[in-house]
Amino acid sequence: VSVPETGISLTELSSLLKARFGHDVHITGNLIETHDGRIALTVRGDEASAKTFAGTVGELDRITVLAAEYIYAESQPVLWAYYLENTSRYDEELAFIKAKFSSAKPTDRPYLLNCWGNALQDLGTSNDEVLKMYEAAIKLKPNLWPTRSNIMLTLQALGDEEGAWRAGLEFQKKAGGRPGAARERQYSV
């Protein structure tokens, strides 16, 4: 079975994930024809419970995309959240993060909080609420440089230029100077 838009099989997708992220992600699945002439694709993988996607033979492409997205979301929740963000699927991103956050690995949580703040901002939520998400992320991972940049930008949007400036100084201090451990472009103030 291949992912329609790319022509990549589930096996190839598994190999690509391994090459990209440096560890094996085992994905298996079954495609069957049901007694009523429909099809059912069941996929499962490391950190992904079995899930079945069903439809008509003509819907195979759609079913395959849904199955691939499910595996991607379950095996790489942070990357999935960024993918949803980069494809302007903010409502889905927010719902996904809210559903996954409590069971997410501690190492994933600061990144999910950053995505959460980004999604809220893209959906037009008040900058005060957005800032809370970014600050929570920094508490968990003080060297999350993109989030520190987001904090400065959000403070600017709130009209708190002095706060943005102080956040920039704190950023420099945490990064060990400018640019230090952070990239120069991440300093937005």
Side-chain angles (χ1 to χ4, degrees):
V1 177
S2 65
V3 180
E5 296 173 10
T6 63
I8 298 173
S9 71
L10 291 176
T11 302
E12 290 168 325
L13 178 61
S14 178
S15 297
L16 288 171
L17 287 171
K18 177 184 176 185
R20 175 69 173 104
F21 305 114
H23 63 276
D24 288 335
V25 176
H26 298 101
I27 301 168
T28 61
N30 301 3
L31 178 64
I32 62 167
E33 184 177 356
T34 63
H35 67 280
D36 59 357
R38 296 171 52 86
I39 57 170
L41 173 60
T42 301
V43 293
R44 66 193 61 77
D46 298 343
E47 301 177 31
S49 302
K51 186 168 182 177
T52 301
F53 301 87
T56 65
V57 173
E59 295 175 307
L60 179 59
D61 288 351
R62 181 187 64 79
I63 292 168
T64 304
V65 168
L66 291 173
E69 287 183 345
Y70 167 74
I71 291 293
Y72 187 21
E74 292 297 309
S75 65
Q76 301 292 329
V78 171
L79 294 175
W80 178 248
Y82 280 116
Y83 169 78
L84 292 172
E85 182 177 316
N86 291 330
T87 56
S88 304
R89 294 163 60 180
Y90 310 121
D91 288 320
E92 284 180 70
E93 177 186 14
L94 196 54
F96 172 75
I97 293 168
K98 286 179 178 181
K100 287 290 180 190
F101 189 78
S102 64
S103 64
K105 295 176 188 173
T107 55
D108 288 346
R109 288 182 182 165
Y111 298 95
L112 290 172
L113 285 166
N114 184 64
C115 288
W116 196 331
N118 293 347
L120 288 173
Q121 190 168 59
D122 291 326
L123 290 169
T125 304
S126 79
N127 283 322
D128 291 320
E129 292 300 312
V130 170
L131 190 58
K132 288 177 186 177
M133 292 298 135
Y134 295 149
E135 289 172 341
I138 290 301
K139 284 181 184 174
L140 295 176
K141 186 169 176 59
N143 66 343
L144 191 53
W145 312 130
T147 305
R148 287 198 174 271
S149 180
N150 290 342
I151 288 172
M152 291 186 298
L153 290 170
T154 304
L155 287 168
Q156 282 180 330
L158 285 166
D160 185 0
E161 295 294 329
E162 186 177 329
W165 178 75
R166 277 185 269 131
L169 290 177
E170 181 66 16
F171 188 171
Q172 283 184 40
K173 180 180 172 186
K174 293 288 184 190
R178 187 168 180 176
R183 294 183 186 135
E184 182 63 32
R185 67 183 168 91
Q186 291 174 319
Y187 291 94
S188 55
V189 177

